[in-house]
Amino acid sequence: MATTQLNARVPEELAARVRASASRAGMNIGEYVASVLEADQAAASGSPELREARARMHAAVAYRKWLADDRSEKDAMSMDEVFGD
């Protein structure tokens, strides 16, 4: 299979966690990131349950980033309201 190089800028804390996860998995960073992207894409085109789990994870990450950026939650919907729990 042909390969291509992707470059991404990520926060140093995330990079450190990715390096540690790759090491624990016995992979280099490129292999680890490729496997994570493969899993995400498989979930994106998977069953409704997989697509929902993927959406929840992406929403949770976006929510944590929103809060970390000191953005207001005033009048915001909760995760339960978004996903109907």
Side-chain angles (χ1 to χ4, degrees):
M1 172 178 14
T3 61
T4 190
Q5 183 171 334
L6 299 175
N7 295 310
R9 293 190 182 279
V10 299
E12 185 55 41
E13 179 183 309
L14 175 59
R17 293 192 332 250
V18 168
R19 286 185 195 101
S21 293
S23 177
R24 283 191 304 275
M27 300 174 165
N28 66 45
I29 292 173
E31 292 167 333
Y32 180 79
V33 169
S35 72
V36 169
L37 293 173
E38 280 288 336
D40 181 71
Q41 291 303 294
S45 60
S47 69
E49 294 81 14
L50 283 176
R51 291 194 311 273
E52 180 180 345
R54 177 181 183 262
R56 284 180 181 277
M57 184 55 63
H58 283 279
V61 169
Y63 180 69
R64 284 193 301 272
K65 181 166 177 25
W66 181 271
L67 294 179
D69 290 344
D70 290 326
R71 294 186 178 165
S72 173
E73 290 185 78
K74 184 176 187 240
D75 299 324
M77 293 176 71
S78 70
M79 292 291 280
D80 290 343
E81 290 172 309
V82 170
F83 288 102
D85 290 344

